Every structure is written in C-alpha cells, then in structure tokens.
Amino acid sequence: MKKLLTSILAMIWLSPFAAAIDLHGLVAVGPFTSYASTRDSVTVTCGDRSEVRFYILAPDLIRVRASFRAPLPARDHSWAIDKTTWDVPKWNVSEQPGYLLIATDEVEVLVHRPDLLVEFRDAKTHQTIDADALPMMFDPRAADGRVAATKKLGFDEHFYGLGEKAAHLDKRRGQFSMWNSDTPAYHEGTDPIYQDVPFYIGWQAGQAFGIFFDNSYRTNFDFAGESPDHVVFEADGGEMNYYFFWGPAMKKILARYADLTGHMPMPPKWALGNQQSRWTYYPDTVAEDVVARYRAEDLPLDVLYLDIDYMNGYRVFTWDPHGFPDPTAFTDKLRKEGVKVVVIVDPGVKYEPPEPGAKDAATNPELAPQDKSYYVFNEGVKNNYFLKRKDGKLWIGAVWPGKAVYTDYTLDGAARWWGDLHRAYLDHGVAGIWNDMNEPSDFLDQTGKTQMDVVTYDGGANSLYAENRNVFALNEARATYEGLTRLRPNERPYIITRAGYAGIQRYSTMWTGDNTATWDAMALSIPMFESLGLSGEPFVGADAGGFIGRTNAELLTRWYEIAFLTPFCRNHAQRDAYDHEPWRFGTYYEDIIRKYLKLRYRFMPYLYTVLEEAHRTGMPIFRPLLLNYQADANTLNIDDEFMVGSDLLVAPILEPGSATRRVYLPEGTWINYWNGAQIAGGRMVRTEAPLDTVPLYVRGGSIIPMGPEMPYVDARPEDPLTFQIYPDAQGKAEVTLYEDDGISPAYRDGAFRRTAITYQSHAIDVSSPTGTYQPGARNMVFVVHNPPPVREASLDGHVIALRKGTGVLSVGIADDSRAHQIQIR
Ligand code: MIG
C-alpha cells in the first residue's frame, strides 16, 4: 500500500500542475480492498479505511460519495437537493478482471482495482464517457480539508454550465471558483461573482454527460486550463460528493438535474412583463411620475421596483415615513395603472439596541419611527435568530444601515420569522420581493476571511462559515418563498435574487447584478444567461442599459433588442447613473424601444408556453443554439446568438455603429421574422441590421402563438389569439399552447389549458384542449406563412372566409374549446 501511495504521489509531483488548483499535499484514496452492496448502493472499502459509495438513483444518474480514512458519516444532507427518494432502477454489480462493474440499463461504472479509478461508460456501446485520471484525493493533514477529483480531458471535449460565470459559453481551458461574492462592475474574467452552481455538462462527439459536485464550500473547477489534459474539481472542505448524469442528450441531463435539485415553480405571468427600476425612485410621487410617463408614452409596463431608500434608514421591513408615508395608497395607485410594486430586501438587519424604556409598536411596527427601538432587531436578538461567532458573540458586519447582523435561515424558527416579516410589505400591497446583498455582502470584509468562525445551525451540525456562505442566499430565498406562500397562499410568490447556489430555482428567479453600461457587458450577458440556463436556472436577466456608468441611446436601444426576449426584462440603473428609462434619449430611440416592448407582449402566449416548459421539464427559456442542435459542432461556442425556446433565434448587434452581421443558422428552414424570407440553414448568412431591426428568425416547423398588444400582462383577454404558422420543408408545423390564470397556484391541480395545433397537408388541426382552465370567449386566427396556392378554406367541411396577404393567408374561427379541422384548398 505504501508503494502505491508513493507512486501516485510521484505521479502528482511529476504532473505539470502549477498554481490554480494545487493538488500537492493531497493523497489518493485506496487501495480497493472489498465492497458491499445494498438495494441501491455499492460501498467500496479501501486499505486506508476510506469508503467510496456509489448510489444508483436512476438508470442515468449515479451519485459518488467518499470519506477519507474513515467510514462515511451517517449525516447526509444538502440544501441543494430536492429529491432524496428515488425508485431504484434495474442494476447489478459484478466482479470483473481488474475492476468492479456496476451497471444499469444506461450506464456502466467501472471501479478499477487496485487504485480506485472510476470510469463511466455507455452501457449500450461500452464506450468511455468520462474517466478518472487520478484517484480521488484528500488532505491527510486536516480533518475537514481539501478534496479533489481529477478526470481525463477528451481531445475534443467541451464544457458548459457552472451557473453564473462572467465568461464565454464553452468553459474548456477555463478555471473557475465558487464563492458567492459581491462584485460590482464585474467584467469578463471576474471570478467568482454573485452566484455559484457547481454543475457542469461535458460534450464530446455530440454526446453529453453532467457532473454536479454538491459541495457548498469554496470549490474550484479547472477544465484543463492548468494541466494540458486534466479536468479537476476540488473543494476547500466537506465531502467528495458528486452526481454523474448520462445523456447523451443535454436535455435529458437538464431534466434529471431539475428532478434532483428542484423544478422552478411557475412565477406569476406578470413576471414576464416589462419591469422598471432605479436606484432610487424617491419619494413615492417620483415613482408615480415614472409610471404615469410610461402610460403617457404608450410603453407597456408591469412592475416598478423600490430600491433601498423606501426603507426607514435602511432598516428592512420598514417604510420611510417621509418618502413613503402611505405605502398602501401608493401601491393602490400603481395597481390601478396595472403596475405591481416589488421592494428590495437586504439580509443585513440594522444593529440597533433599543434606548432604555423604548418599546416597539404592537401593530404595524413597520410604519413606526424606529429611531429609539427597531422591532426586527429586537425580535431577532430576543429569539437568538442572528448568526454568531464561535465565541458566542453576534457577527456584526456593515451594510447600508451601518452596523448590521445577519439571520441564521437554517434555524426553522428564524426562517419562519423572516418569512412572516414580509407581512410588513404584503399588508401594503407589495407584489414581489427583490433579495439583494445576499452573498452575503459585508462592507467590512467582502472575502469572508474574517467570518470563518461564524457558526450556522445547519440542521444541528453547527457548521462553520466556509460551508455555509454559498448556501446563505439559498436559505434566505427559501425562508422568503415559504413566507410569501403562507401569507398569500392564493398567489404564486415572485422573488428575484442576486446570490444563490444549486437549487435556487425552487424559490427564486435571478438577475446578474451590477453590470456596466458597456457594449462588452451587454455582449457578456448572452453567454451568462445561456450558461445559467444550462445550470438549472431558467428565469434570468440583466439590468438593461447597464447598471454602472453612463449608457447612451444606441447602447440602450440595442440592449432592448436582447432584453425584449430575455425572461427577466428590467431597466435598472445605479444611483449616480444617467437616467435611462426608454424615453430619456428622445423619440427616435424611444419609438424603437416601444416597438420591441410591444412585440414582447405580442409574443406573450409563446413566452408563457416556454416558461411552463421550463417549469415542467427544466429546459431553459433563453438557450444557446447548442442545446437545440447538440449534434452540430458549429454551435459549440456560439454565444453571440441565442434561442428562446425551440422556435425563435436572435442574433443581436453587439457593437456600436454596426448595421450588419453574420448569423449562423443551424440545419433546417428558417424564416426571417421581419420579411418572411425563407432561408436554408446549416450555414452562415449575412444580414442587415439597422438600429431598428434585430435579426430575428423563426424555425420552420413551428407555430408561434401571439396575442394583441397590451399595456400590461392580461390587461385584457388574448383576443384574437393568433397562430403564426411557419411550415418546414415537409409543409408541417406544430405547437402546444399553454395557458392558465397566470397568478394562482391552481395550475398544480390541473387548472391550465393545453391546446395542440398541428399543420400538415394543408390542414390545420385544433385539438380538443386538455385541463380545466377556461380562457373565455375569443377568436383564433391562423396565419400560414409562405402558403400553397389555394382558393378556399373550410371549417369542419363548411366554407369559411379566407384572407390573402403578401406571402401569407389567414383564416379565423371562434374558440369554443372544441376540436376543429380547417382545410385550405
Ligand atoms: O451596494 O440597493 O445589485 O441593483 O440598486 C449596492 C442598491 C446595493 C446592489 C444591487 C443594485 C441595487 C443596489 N445594491
């Protein structure tokens, strides 16, 4: 055994690892001595007493968990995991010459002897998918030290995912760390930033696998940036604990990942509406003026944000008595305009011991002066809800209110309390919550180094900060989500967060923090959204116009040509930034922005259908071309284009002064949305893109459901509901439209409507809808693009009116919730 360790160590010393991930000082687990199996797992015991356990969760999902020089601990808990009980699939274990073989119908796991190299193979072809280059490693000097796994790099292997990274789409040759960090004005290469999702997808020869390294300590990933041929993932502490997903379809991996870490619940439909923010709209009348101007300018708007100044002295769960003296009247006024109010909530609670004899108001304490006594601080102290250091003293940081304390959201009581505190907003008609600064940000120390002795209850483990920083925001979001659910059970919570960890999608949507008003930041947002989508977070967006710095008319206009099809569409700006609401640069630019905002609302039936697909299947809304065209190696690093769902492709202009660009269109037929021209894909095309035109293509074979223009979501019925039919080369197209009430959780109990529409052989078939939701009386219009030469149309055999336009024909019927066939001849 000694000889083996020495030889492995020699291997490591000789390997060309240098700075970034330094495996020196770590030792390998091993050697393989025996194994034992249960119903759903195989545990290998090593000569050094280490244990490596393989859990067979699904035919394409294997969990690997190891302990070093000791048996695996009984405690097995992760804040990221949603599904802990799996139906054990068919599998078996057998001893083979040189290795132990664990096989399901889809994956083979080879555990090589004696040195415990783990190899994953495709059960059908027996080809290697992913294999260890070195055995798992541990730090023998520390009880809770570093752990590492080292995989071989494939010659043509590419890497995707990793959550929120200020980096290009393909992570090959990149190195990344996971440590939630407040990083204003981040740019390409800033790492880490706000959120951390230690999940990646590997692609080789068109086939994909996934690895989720579920370890909330600071983790590091090296996709052969340091060594020429090794992929390493390692953590500062905690367990070697990862999940291996076999596709080969990326979509299958994302679906499994969603099952494992949780599906995004349906947000309210208005979350897809246009949103406006600024640091800061103050006082209430300014916010009202912004909304009034939106309406006067005929610009659609659903949501207005209140940044930190609505609070009384930056105290969370209070209202500023001067700027917002009557918050209920304020939200009422905006609601009459169809505008919902979202308020910012920071986790830092002002440290404010009460003055002697001071008391908190028994009712509506959020409206009281707070200057002598602050109810949130008092309640938190009294109940021991705030995080403390090992020595029992409060952890006091500094945030906007000055000295601040932080809540231990892993304490059930504290989480419930925090959730219930949102009454201070909901009672005044606030519609949603914006969780900022939850890395958590501390002006005294943004690195976390001086906070390492902060203790988190963590289910009784009383674990330290190193393990809990990355899941702080996840637990805050959980407390918030559960609080909103309790306080307003008949409405879907709407939460948006800055920091997060794997699983955050169960509770919150996200935005990419403090970007800059630069062309580079706008361009970077595309791979960022695409990567977040490949990391289980479907509802993403950035501050349109750029948060920090001075934006300009052209940049803002081009930004909206991306934002209008981004799930989260919000204009926001820093306190001292030049104003950049849509009208601020004059009518020429405003007219273009209006055109795109209105188009977003016309696309709403399509966007909502794609949103529901994200909820149900884990597929992102904002996708890299690669996800839809996985076999096409031309798409491996395309991140200056994106797709929305499967049917829309956007190739925005990402530099100033440009009015033309090249666009890669994958195999198939594509239709230029603006002029209806049909284009054969599988090649690069050049297209014109003057300032008012973003290159936008529709996939041949799709049907895009569209509604009328709206000032805000569901301001009136989607009437007429128009199905834009774009046949493929075989003359076929299809869609299944999803609808529900847009606000309540009743969709979970079948209160939705799915309407399948198919087009083939010159016939439009409307299926009889499924689900119990009734959208009400309305008309349906079917527009066939590039139609065949026809003379008449019939509905269920009876002749109906047929309208012809250039390159299109259309027919209309009443939607009576029944199946119909429309023939065109
Ligand atoms: O330290 O609340 O990312 O959107 O406007 C800055 C003020 C605090 C950071 C957020 C930004 C917000 C700002 N906040």
Side-chain angles (χ1 to χ4, degrees), residues 622-645:
F622 193 107
R623 303 180 185 175
L625 275 54
L626 175 66
L627 181 62
N628 288 338
Y629 298 90
Q630 188 182 323
D632 182 352
N634 291 308
T635 65
L636 286 172
N637 51 33
I638 292 184
D639 56 12
D640 61 353
E641 301 178 22
F642 62 92
M643 293 192 70
V644 178

Side-chain angles (χ1 to χ4, degrees), residues 408-457:
D408 183 352
Y409 301 109
T410 70
L411 285 164
D412 287 343
R416 186 168 249 281
W417 169 69
W418 187 266
D420 290 345
L421 282 170
H422 289 80
R423 182 207 56 75
Y425 301 126
L426 272 51
D427 278 2
H428 300 291
V430 165
I433 299 299
W434 174 20
N435 279 339
D436 188 23
M437 308 296 274
N438 50 0
E439 293 70 33
S441 183
D442 175 1
F443 297 158
L444 300 180
D445 175 15
Q446 293 290 19
T447 69
K449 279 197 193 96
T450 61
Q451 295 142 10
M452 288 302 178
D453 61 342
V454 170
V455 183
T456 297
Y457 173 68

